[in-house]
Structures are given as structure tokens and as C-alpha cells.
Amino acid sequence: MSRKLRYTFIYIFLTISAFISVFPFYWMIVGSTNKSVDVLKGKLSFGTEFVENFKNLWENYNLGKVLVNSAKISIFVVVFSIIVSSMAGYGFEIYSSKVRNKVYSAILLTMMIPFAALMVPLFRLMYFFNLIDSHWGVILPMIPSVFLVFFFRQNFKQYPKEIIMAARVDGANELRIFFSIVLPSMKSAYAAAAIYAFMTSWNAYLWPLVIIQSEQNKTIVLMISSIASGYTPDFGVVMMAVVIATLPMLVVFFALQKHFVQGVLGSVKQ
């Protein structure tokens, strides 16, 4: 096979893959501008109902409140999750002990436990602390992330240990070393972790569905599910809600994309 023919097949494959990836976003945006009946018919051209769909969503489904709820939960989860996970990953990598690797392996094994097996014990725990139907009942179980602990430890493996030793010689305590020296030089890793934590918390459905019971505490994902599962759902409004729910994730990703690839690759900005 000639080089030109090989590249032709590659470009065709990439074009088809790009179309498959982009088409759902296009259909989502187009659907937000059409009536429900047009969405059901599969209309792929832009309509004139964008303002009307947004107006119905804002007035009938308390859009502002659910966006604030989702933002509140996501911000707290992101901040606490990356702090806790990065400190855990830092500790596992920097401090040596006889049982360090055994404990670390045991923690990694918990990733194999399905969330359905943890849901009832977590619910009973939240009930004991009187956190049912509260945002903290959603936030607290989402803060510990085994994946982020693993992710940060892999990044800290590449961090120069000599810098930490030099800081100790100069009299810096461990917290100051972590927050003043290590953390600022790991911006790429923290950006990648923040994107992961934000998308996980923003898109969370099952746990908020179990914990949140009142309309005033619902998140955007629960609101979309409620609209779509109605007896006669307005799919134009559903598409509008999905568009709005997607925008914050795009904003966060593009705002942090400069550091995202470096963070995933485990690089350290010196």
C-alpha cells in the first residue's frame, strides 16, 4: 500500500470519527432551538424556539437555583478532593514505612468495589449524621477519590526529592514544604485533577438522587432527569437544559487545557 493511499484511509477514518464525536453536540444544540415535536421527528436544522425553550426552562423548573446547587457541590468537591488526594499521594510517595505499599495496594483494591455495594452503608452513615437531603450529604462521600490518590502519587514520583530534602535542611516544616514548594510547582497535575473532579461531581446522578429529596436542593442533572422522565416531556426544553449543563464543563476544560495534557503525562513544571 502506497503512502498516499495509507494517509487517505487515515484521514477518512479520522473524519468519520470526528463526525461521530461532534454530531451529538450539534444535535443537542439544534434540538434546543426546536419544538418538542420537531426533536422527536429528528429535525437537524435550526429552529426559532431557542428563546421560548430557555424561558420555559427558567420559569417552570427553577433553573437558577439548580445551577447554584450544582456549582456549590462541584466547587466544594473539587477543592477538598484535590487537597485530600494530593496530600495522600504525597505522603505515600515521600514517606517510607514497612506497610506503606501494602496499605496503598489495599486502597487501590477498593476501586474494584462497585458503588452499589457502598450505597446502603453510605446512606445509613449520612442518616446517622443527619445529612439526608443536604448538599453536604452529597459532597462528603465524593471527596475521597482513590483514582486521584493514585494520579497524584504517580506525579510525585517525578518530583525531585532533593528539593524537599533541601527545604527540610533549611528548617521548613512538612506543611510549609507541601503548600509553599511542592504544590505551586505541580500546577499541571492539579489542573488535570480539578477537571476530573469537577466533571465527576457535576455529572453525578445516582448518589445525589439517593440523598437529595426536596426540589430546592436538586442539581442540574437531577432536574434534567425529572424533565425527561415526565409523562409528556418537552424535549426542546430537555435539550436546552442539556446545553446549559454542558457549558460549565466546557468552560472549565478550556480554561485549564493549557496544563491538562502535561498533568495527565505526569510532568512537573519547574
Side-chain angles (χ1 to χ4, degrees), residues 137-148:
V138 178
I139 294 168
L140 292 177
M142 296 180 69
I143 291 176
S145 171
V146 177
F147 171 76
L148 287 183

Side-chain angles (χ1 to χ4, degrees), residues 188 191-193 195-196 253 256-265:
S188 299
I195 292 175
Y196 172 82
F253 177 79
L256 300 177
Q257 67 172 336
K258 177 181 177 181
H259 303 288
F260 179 73
V261 176
Q262 290 181 340
V264 170
L265 294 176

Side-chain angles (χ1 to χ4, degrees), residues 119-242:
M119 193 160 55
V120 173
L122 280 176
F123 183 85
R124 290 177 63 88
L125 186 64
M126 294 302 106
Y127 178 80
F128 177 80
F129 288 108
N130 196 28
L131 293 176
I132 301 299
D133 195 28
S134 72
H135 291 155
W136 283 108
V138 178
I139 294 168
L140 292 177
M142 296 180 69
I143 291 176
S145 171
V146 177
F147 171 76
L148 287 183
V149 173
F150 167 79
F151 173 78
F152 277 112
R153 188 184 183 187
Q154 294 304 113
N155 277 270
F156 287 130
K157 285 180 181 294
Q158 302 185 38
Y159 192 84
K161 306 300 188 295
E162 294 80 6
I163 296 177
I164 298 175
M165 296 301 296
R168 289 172 178 169
V169 171
D170 288 339
N173 60 48
E174 297 300 320
L175 286 178
R176 184 178 179 185
I177 292 173
F178 180 79
F179 285 106
S180 300
I181 299 174
V182 177
L183 191 153
S185 62
M186 300 285 289
K187 292 179 181 179
S188 299
Y190 278 88
I195 292 175
Y196 172 82
F198 180 83
M199 293 183 67
T200 301
S201 56
W202 185 267
N203 290 324
Y205 173 71
L206 183 56
W207 182 242
L209 179 66
V210 171
I211 289 296
I212 296 177
Q213 300 175 352
S214 62
E215 291 291 328
Q216 63 179 2
N217 288 327
K218 279 189 174 182
T219 62
I220 183 71
V221 175
L222 294 182
M223 185 197 73
I224 293 173
S225 175
S226 177
I227 299 174
S229 61
Y231 186 72
T232 55
D234 188 332
F235 289 104
V237 174
V238 172
M239 289 296 187
M240 174 61 68
V242 174

Side-chain angles (χ1 to χ4, degrees), residues 107-127:
I107 291 175
L108 290 183
L109 284 175
T110 62
M111 295 179 68
M112 300 176 63
I113 303 175
F115 180 73
L118 301 174
M119 193 160 55
V120 173
L122 280 176
F123 183 85
R124 290 177 63 88
L125 186 64
M126 294 302 106
Y127 178 80

Side-chain angles (χ1 to χ4, degrees), residues 50-67 215 220 223 227 234 237 240-241 244:
F50 183 87
V51 175
E52 188 65 25
N53 288 336
F54 180 81
K55 182 179 178 181
N56 290 338
L57 182 64
W58 182 269
E59 293 179 351
N60 299 328
Y61 297 99
N62 203 6
L63 177 62
K65 181 64 176 178
V66 296
L67 285 175
E215 291 291 328
I220 183 71
M223 185 197 73
I227 299 174
D234 188 332
V237 174
M240 174 61 68
I244 294 174

